[in-house]
Amino acid sequence: MSSQEQPEQGEAKPRPLNEPALTALSLYPQDWALFLDIDGTLLDLAERPEAIVVPDYLPGTLHALSRQLGGALALVTGRAIEFVDPLFAPFRFPVAGLHGAERRDAAGRLRRAHIPPAFQEMKQVIRHEALAWPGAIVEDKGAAVAVHFRHAPAYEAEIGEVMQRHLEEAGPDWNLQRGKMVLEICPSHASKGHAVEAFLAETPFEGRRPVAIGDDVTDETMFAAANRLGGQSVRIGDANGKTLARASIGSPARLRDVLGTLVK
Ligand SMILES: O=P(O)(O)OC[C@H]1O[C@H](O[C@H]2O[C@H](CO)[C@@H](O)[C@H](O)[C@H]2O)[C@H](O)[C@@H](O)[C@@H]1O
Ligand SMILES: [Mg+2]
């Protein structure tokens, strides 16, 4: 997130969502596009990255909503695209993965992030170093690598130092991204905000106003994009005012309920 996009200190808390604000998606579906984060937004957070549960009805709800929006619904996530598709099978949605570093557009064209040999080596080293952090989980996402410390909180500072050192060695093409009990190194050229803008330059998103819904710091760039482009930004949960989102919804379960009500 650029400094221009940072929420100001002490900025007012996002207003609880006036849910009719989202009913525009149902009333004027030709005017709106929907961008949805996955973990902590569509899905409840789980103890481990692979332990997330997709409610049976959710892929169908998203598919129905996507059809209603003329296909202008995309998933914008820190996950790798290849992890995302099976979650929502049999449907495949336009998706930006690795916080925007890879993207599959509505026509199915895939833009992958390059994985240099040096990055492969760095992942191996991190995997080895993580043996010293009992409980930590290393998630290899291809062109990104995450170290989760949800079950190794005592090692947070040490993991941060090691990841920072790797980042410095890797150079300016890489970024250290903080998330919920996780630190990851991912390509620096991308952001979720850029991904939203890229979708909005293409059919069927073009000319529509974006609604961006997310729960974490990595979603702030897409909130900024949605605000700038005359759309709506919604943060799930309580961000203690440290967000650019203009509205909030209490939980992923509540969001899933709201999405269900939008389907005609
Ligand atoms: O952008 P998102 O779709 O929200 O993805 C962000 C990260 O989500 C995953 O990690 C988080 O969720 C896990 C499962 O609920 C949880 O165990 C972990 O503590 C969270 O940080 C995912 O594993 C990451 O790769 C994503 O970047
Ligand atoms: Mg999230």
Side-chain angles (χ1 to χ4, degrees):
M1 182 162 60
S2 78
S3 55
Q4 279 185 323
E5 291 166 330
Q6 291 283 358
E8 285 171 25
Q9 194 74 15
E11 187 169 314
K13 276 191 176 188
R15 283 171 285 116
L17 184 68
N18 171 14
E19 274 157 19
L22 282 194
T23 59
L25 289 167
S26 182
L27 293 174
Y28 310 106
Q30 69 284 358
D31 294 340
W32 292 90
L34 182 55
F35 298 97
L36 293 163
D37 171 66
I38 297 179
D39 292 271
T41 297
L42 284 174
L43 305 182
D44 299 334
L45 287 177
E47 291 299 310
R48 302 173 60 86
E50 72 283 7
I52 44 170
V53 175
V54 182
D56 288 349
Y57 62 85
L58 187 61
T61 300
L62 296 178
H63 177 64
L65 212 43
S66 172
R67 288 186 64 147
Q68 208 165 291
L69 293 165
L73 179 154
L75 303 170
V76 185
T77 177
R79 298 276 187 172
I81 290 176
E82 61 196 22
F83 183 89
V84 170
D85 282 334
L87 296 178
F88 300 101
F91 309 110
R92 267 163 54 107
F93 300 100
V95 55
L98 306 183
H99 310 282
E102 57 183 23
R103 197 169 69 87
R104 185 180 64 225
D105 65 21
R109 285 179 299 247
L110 182 63
R111 295 150 181 94
R112 284 189 154 285
H114 174 58
I115 312 176
F119 189 74
Q120 297 283 26
E121 286 162 25
M122 186 184 78
K123 290 192 293 189
Q124 291 273 35
V125 174
I126 290 174
R127 231 179 269 124
H128 182 73
E129 286 166 331
L131 297 175
W133 308 319
I137 298 167
V138 178
E139 184 185 12
D140 183 348
K141 304 197 281 185
V145 60
V147 180
H148 294 264
F149 49 87
R150 187 172 288 279
H151 296 290
Y155 296 103
E156 176 179 356
E158 192 178 324
I159 292 169
E161 282 164 24
V162 168
M163 294 294 268
Q164 181 63 36
R165 177 171 48 76
H166 282 298
L167 178 73
E168 283 159 19
E169 285 167 13
D173 292 342
W174 302 90
N175 191 28
L176 186 56
Q177 176 71 55
R178 185 168 276 278
K180 291 184 171 169
M181 310 301 281
V182 65
L183 279 163
E184 74 174 277
I185 297 178
C186 54
S188 60
H189 69 271
S191 74
K192 289 192 175 190
H194 288 135
V196 165
E197 287 169 0
F199 280 121
L200 287 169
E202 300 164 351
T203 305
F205 298 89
E206 202 174 5
R208 291 167 181 258
R209 294 167 68 184
V211 175
I213 309 182
D215 72 307
D216 205 350
V217 285
T218 177
D219 300 309
E220 293 292 334
T221 57
M222 69 170 180
F223 297 152
N227 295 345
R228 195 173 57 249
L229 297 167
Q232 171 72 284
S233 48
V234 182
R235 176 116 175 193
I236 305 299
D238 186 1
N240 281 324
K242 294 184 185 147
T243 181
L244 294 168
R246 292 180 174 160
S248 65
I249 288 182
S251 67
R254 182 66 198 138
L255 173 66
R256 293 192 295 267
D257 286 349
V258 172
L259 294 178
T261 67
L262 299 177
V263 177
K264 285 189 219 164

